[in-house]
Amino acid sequence: MQSVLRHNWNNEEVAELFAMPFNDLMFKAQTIHREHFNPNEVQVSTLLSIKTGACPEDCKYCSQSARNKTDLEKESLLAVEKVLEAAQRAKDMGSTRFCMGAAWRNPKARDMPYVLDMVKSVKALGMETCMTLGMLSTEQADQLNNAGLDYYNHNLDTSPEHYNQIITTRTFQDRLDTLSNVRSAGMKVCSGGIVGLGEKAVDRASLLIQLANLNPQPESVPINMLVKVAGTPLADIDDLESFDFIRCIAVARIMMPKSHVRLSAGRTAMNEQMQAMCFLAGANSIFYGCKLLTAENPETNQDIALFEKLGINTETVAGDTERSDNRVKTAIVDQQHSDLFYNASA
C-alpha cells in the first residue's frame, strides 16, 4: 500500500518512528523512497555565496554572523557576471540547480535589481535556480517569482522549543511567515534544519513535524549536520551520534515522501559508509563542490567516485536531454580551485 501524504503528524507517532529498531526504520524509509523516486538517482546542486559575512543575526552556529568572532573575510555582493561564470562552471560539473546565498537579515531595495538579474541570467543557462537571502516581504517574494526563481531556501533551523537557545534576533514565526510569502508568490520551498545544535531527540522530532505539517510540504528538505566553527558559541559542543543523524534522514523521508531530502552541510565529517547509509535512508540530493557558504564540503571528484561505487546517477532537469551522467564523470573543470565558491553550512 502506497504511503499517504499527511500534514497532521503528532509528537507521539514521530517519537515512535525514531524509536523503531534501526533495520526496520531503514527498510520502511527505503520502501517509501522507492514509491516516489528512482533509488539510484541523486539531485545535484551547487551553492554560491553571493555576499559573505557581516550578517546582523546572532545564529550561534554561523560563521557569517557579525556577532561571532570568526576569521571569515567579509565580501560585498558579487557582480552578476561573476555569478553567471560560476553557474556555467557548476553546470559543466553536472549540477542541475544553482543556489545563491547572501548573508543578510533581509534583502534591501537597492540589492533587488542585482539579485533579480542573477536569477534571470542563471535561468537562461537552463538551470533550476534557488536563493537564500533571509526574510522576504510579500513584494520581494513576488519580484523573485516574476524573475523566474524556482526555489527559495529558508530553513527553520531547529524546533520551536529549542529555537531561542540558538537565535534571538528573529522569531520562529518570522521564518514561517517568509515561507508563507514564498509559497503565496508561487515559488517552491526549500526548508530544513540543522541537527547537532545541542538539541534533544524530541527537538529533532518537533522540527520534522513543523516541516511535514506545512501544506504543501517543502519540495526540498536540507538536513544539515552542525559544522563547528571556531569563534561561534557552539564551537565546542558534543558531536551528534552518527546513527541519530541517519535516523533523522530516515524519519524525514517517511514523513515527507515526495520531497527531495538533501544530505547537506557536514558531509566532510561523514565517511563513505555513513553517506551511503543516508542515501539508503532516503536522502536523494546533495551539494557538489568543496565549499557551501562557509563550511567544508567534499570535493566534487570524491562525490563522483562515491556515486560510481554505489551505482548512483545524477538526476536530470526535465527537458534537459543534453545532460547525462557521463558529463559529470568526464568534466574537466575542477570546481574546488575556483575562488568564487565558499563553504556553506549556514
Side-chain angles (χ1 to χ4, degrees):
M1 183 170 139
Q2 197 172 59
S3 56
V4 178
L5 195 63
R6 294 176 47 194
H7 307 282
N8 61 345
W9 292 93
N10 62 56
N11 292 327
E12 292 73 24
E13 57 190 336
V14 177
E16 287 177 7
L17 288 177
F18 272 99
M20 287 178 70
F22 186 75
N23 286 345
D24 292 346
L25 178 64
M26 294 292 281
F27 181 78
K28 183 178 180 69
Q30 178 62 198
T31 300
I32 289 174
H33 184 58
R34 287 171 179 265
E35 290 177 5
H36 301 283
F37 295 98
N38 181 331
N40 297 310
E41 280 190 352
V42 170
Q43 187 274 328
V44 174
S45 300
T46 295
L47 176 59
L48 174 70
S49 178
I50 59 172
K51 187 268 176 186
T52 304
C55 180
E57 304 283 18
D58 69 350
C59 308
K60 288 184 171 59
Y61 55 80
C62 188
S63 64
Q64 302 207 62
S65 171
R67 300 166 188 246
N68 295 333
K69 295 178 171 56
T70 65
D71 295 328
L72 185 71
E73 250 182 76
K74 302 167 189 171
E75 302 197 9
S76 56
L77 188 65
L78 282 180
V80 175
E81 295 76 13
K82 288 287 188 184
V83 173
L84 190 57
E85 175 189 334
Q88 182 62 62
R89 185 170 300 178
K91 184 176 182 181
D92 291 341
M93 287 302 294
S95 287
T96 58
R97 187 178 307 160
F98 193 69
C99 306
M100 295 159 273
W104 288 326
R105 175 179 170 81
N106 54 276
K108 302 292 189 293
R110 65 176 181 270
D111 300 313
M112 288 303 292
Y114 299 99
V115 166
L116 299 175
D117 279 349
M118 290 175 190
V119 173
K120 294 171 185 176
S121 298
V122 175
K123 285 284 287 186
L125 295 178
M127 299 183 78
E128 291 181 324
T129 52
C130 179
M131 281 195 157
T132 177
L133 312 171
M135 295 185 290
L136 290 182
S137 66
T138 54
E139 181 184 1
Q140 289 169 331
D142 287 337
Q143 287 176 315
L144 288 167
N145 180 62
N146 292 337
L149 188 66
D150 297 296
Y151 289 82
Y152 192 79
N153 166 259
H154 199 64
N155 290 335
L156 297 183
D157 281 0
T158 189
S159 69
E161 298 80 8
H162 188 60
Y163 186 85
N164 286 342
Q165 303 299 312
I166 305 300
I167 303 144
T168 65
T169 49
R170 76 173 84 165
T171 67
F172 195 85
Q173 187 60 49
D174 286 335
R175 292 181 181 266
L176 293 175
D177 290 345
T178 287
L179 293 182
S180 177
N181 291 340
V182 168
R183 188 64 83 186
S184 296
M187 290 177 285
K188 295 175 182 175
V189 167
C190 174
S191 187
I194 307 170
V195 296
L197 298 172
E199 76 282 351
K200 300 173 184 175
V202 293
D203 292 308
R204 292 190 283 277
S206 178
L207 168 65
L208 294 182
I209 288 170
Q210 290 291 322
L211 293 165
N213 286 352
L214 292 172
N215 191 3
Q217 293 178 345
E219 284 82 0
S220 182
V221 181
I223 305 294
N224 298 273
M225 186 165 72
L226 175 67
V227 177
K228 292 185 280 190
V229 178
T232 64
L234 298 181
D236 299 317
I237 201 163
D238 291 340
D239 290 338
L240 184 73
E241 216 285 329
S242 297
F243 283 106
D244 288 338
F245 183 84
I246 299 168
R247 283 181 180 275
C248 198
I249 295 284
V251 175
R253 168 51 65 219
I254 292 166
M255 295 173 68
M256 293 170 277
K258 294 186 178 181
S259 302
H260 279 78
V261 176
R262 178 174 297 144
L263 182 58
S264 199
R267 285 201 297 129
T268 50
M270 304 176 195
N271 60 24
E272 289 186 336
Q273 291 77 16
M274 182 177 173
Q275 291 186 64
M277 291 292 283
C278 288
F279 292 133
L280 187 64
N284 62 339
S285 178
I286 65 164
F287 280 118
Y288 257 174
C290 66
K291 300 260 188 178
L292 296 182
L293 288 178
T294 58
E296 296 303 320
N297 200 48
E299 294 179 357
T300 304
N301 57 355
Q302 291 177 331
D303 289 328
I304 292 170
L306 178 58
F307 280 12
E308 288 178 337
K309 289 177 185 179
L310 299 178
I312 285 176
N313 297 315
T314 56
E315 187 178 281
T316 57
V317 175
D320 188 356
T321 55
E322 272 184 40
R323 192 186 308 276
S324 70
D325 193 51
N326 285 336
R327 189 171 173 189
V328 181
K329 295 175 182 175
T330 59
I332 297 173
V333 181
D334 195 356
Q335 182 172 293
Q336 69 255 30
H337 295 310
S338 171
D339 59 2
L340 290 175
F341 290 88
Y342 300 86
N343 184 331
S345 61

